[in-house]
Amino acid sequence: QVQLVESGGGLVQAGGSLRLSCAASGSIFSINLRGWYRQAPGKQRELVATITSFGTTNYADSVKSRFTISRDNAKNTVYLQMNSLRPEDTAVYYCNAKAGISGADYWGQGTQVTVSS
């Protein structure tokens, strides 16, 4: 089992920045991939960014050059630095970990990010 705890959401004006954090505990050794997803009202959950154990990153086209995912292995924590935020970035952001041979999904509780225009 993997537990994920997020922090760092909030309200920011367009053009501003926020940093989200996601701390993992439990069977950390089994995690293969970590990432962030988001879900806006009335929309499906979508991938924002992922990072592998080796540090390889992947981003949704809508956030490339604005968001940066990183990890601190000593703290078992993944971060999402969000710059140049837009109103369309408003969503609940979820931390994700895929673990084990089957790639089972684990989710954080979600943190609200609201960008005002």
Side-chain angles (χ1 to χ4, degrees):
Q1 292 291 321
V2 174
Q3 293 79 44
L4 303 172
V5 177
E6 302 147 354
S7 60
L11 172 65
V12 65
Q13 288 188 332
S17 299
L18 282 174
R19 189 176 82 155
L20 306 182
S21 300
C22 175
S25 60
S27 300
I28 298 168
F29 62 91
S30 67
I31 296 175
N32 304 312
L33 184 71
R34 298 191 63 178
W36 291 93
Y37 290 71
R38 67 187 182 187
Q39 188 167 18
K43 295 187 177 181
Q44 289 189 331
R45 192 172 297 187
E46 63 177 4
L47 171 71
V48 176
T50 60
I51 186 167
T52 70
S53 301
F54 302 102
T56 302
T57 59
N58 179 56
Y59 296 92
D61 288 342
S62 59
V63 306
K64 281 181 181 176
S65 78
R66 300 189 298 122
F67 290 10
T68 302
I69 189 171
S70 61
R71 62 190 299 158
D72 183 334
N73 290 332
K75 295 182 179 180
N76 299 317
T77 298
V78 170
Y79 304 96
L80 184 68
Q81 178 66 44
M82 304 185 292
N83 299 328
S84 302
L85 282 161
R86 304 167 180 169
E88 54 263 40
D89 294 318
T90 295
V92 177
Y93 283 69
Y94 294 92
C95 178
N96 172 268
K98 296 187 185 299
I101 297 174
S102 64
D105 281 307
Y106 294 90
W107 296 95
Q109 78 279 10
T111 185
Q112 177 71 45
V113 171
T114 302
V115 184
S116 63
S117 57

